[in-house]
Structures are given as C-alpha cells and as structure tokens.
C-alpha cells in the first residue's frame, strides 16, 4: 500500500525510467497471450503468469507481456504470439507453463524460436496423421 506522495513519485519515476529505457532499446519483444474465454479455459492464465515470472526473474527489460482477446484458433489454445522488431511473428500453440521455460530460454534470451511448439509444427503433425 502506498503511504505517501513521495513514495508515489518514486514509483512514477522508476516506471518512467523503465519506459525510457525501452524506447532507447527500440521496440523490444512483445509476448501476446490469448486471454479470451477459450484461452483461459485451456490454461492461458498460468501460461501468462509464468512468462511474467520468468521475464522478471531474468531481468529481461526489452520484453513486455500483454494479453489479447480471441486469436481465432481455439483448438490450439493456449496461444502465445511473439513479436520481434523486423522479424516474422512466431505463434506458439498448446502452451503450458513448462513450455514457457524453454521459450523464454531459447527464443527470448537466445533468439532461437522453439519450432516444435509452433503452429506450423502442429499443423504439419496433424497433416501427417
């Protein structure tokens, strides 16, 4: 609980510094979690919380996690889209908190998408069954 105007000013100052840092770093990476009813029912909330936790734990200041409504592919929920400046969007499907660990380590930290969690991989798997 905020106890004084001074404390509120400190919080504001810190938030503005982080925002300025992100602007200087360019657009940064955006992680978008589908949080419509279908996504939430399939487990999107723990997935989003795990992304936030891991990104904070690793102090990845160039990464933001946001939520969106329906992405339109309910059978693949929970869905996470990763947007990086000047790169093609990567869509991860059927995500779990355990899969988040690998996506953060390999994709967000090392720049290598985890292909076996993507929609392209899942569609190829379905086509071959």
């Amino acid at each position: 609980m905020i106890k004084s105007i001074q404390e509120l000013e400190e919080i504001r100052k810190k938030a503005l510094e982080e925002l300025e840092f992100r602007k200087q770093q360019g657009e940064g990476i955006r992680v978008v979690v589908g949080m419509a009813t279908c996504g939430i029912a399939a487990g999107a909330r723990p997935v989003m919380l795990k992304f936030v936790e891991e990104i904070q734990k690793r102090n990845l200041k160039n990464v933001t996690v946001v939520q969106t409504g329906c992405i339109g592919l309910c059978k693949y929920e929970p869905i996470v889209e990763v947007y990086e400046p000047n790169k093609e969007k990567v869509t991860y499907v059927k995500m779990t908190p355990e899969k988040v660990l690998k996506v953060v380590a390999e994709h967000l930290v090392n720049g290598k998408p985890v292909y076996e969690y993507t929609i392209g991989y899942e569609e190829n798997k379905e086509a071959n069954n």
Side-chain angles (χ1 to χ4, degrees):
M1 186 170 177
I2 298 171
K3 295 179 175 82
S4 68
I5 297 288
Q6 184 179 1
E7 193 175 345
L8 185 59
E9 277 299 317
E10 287 297 317
I11 293 169
R12 181 179 177 272
K13 182 180 174 188
K14 185 176 180 184
L16 287 172
E17 286 172 359
E18 285 184 21
L19 189 61
E20 186 59 34
F21 175 80
R22 285 189 188 141
K23 284 181 186 175
Q24 291 173 3
Q25 297 298 311
E27 229 175 89
I29 300 170
R30 265 188 332 129
V31 176
V32 180
V33 182
M35 291 287 286
T37 306
C38 53
I40 292 169
R45 185 169 280 120
V47 167
M48 187 172 89
L49 292 174
K50 186 54 103 175
F51 267 110
V52 170
E53 179 186 317
E54 287 300 308
I55 287 164
Q56 286 176 346
K57 193 186 297 181
R58 292 170 178 267
N59 200 26
L60 301 176
K61 295 196 181 290
N62 67 325
V63 181
T64 53
V65 179
V66 296
Q67 61 185 38
T68 191
C70 185
I71 294 174
L73 299 165
C74 299
K75 74 177 188 174
Y76 293 121
E77 293 286 357
I79 297 174
V80 174
E81 296 176 326
V82 177
Y83 295 87
E84 295 179 88
N86 306 314
K87 291 187 178 178
E88 198 171 314
K89 166 185 78 173
V90 177
T91 302
Y92 291 109
V93 298
K94 299 182 179 180
M95 288 297 290
T96 64
E98 294 75 26
K99 289 180 177 180
V100 169
L101 299 173
K102 190 169 183 179
V103 170
V104 170
E106 292 188 21
H107 190 164
L108 302 184
V109 173
N110 294 314
K112 298 174 186 163
V114 184
Y115 180 67
E116 65 265 25
Y117 298 165
T118 64
I119 191 164
Y121 182 85
E122 193 64 32
E123 287 174 338
N124 284 341
K125 194 169 80 173
E126 287 177 1
N128 291 326
N129 284 337

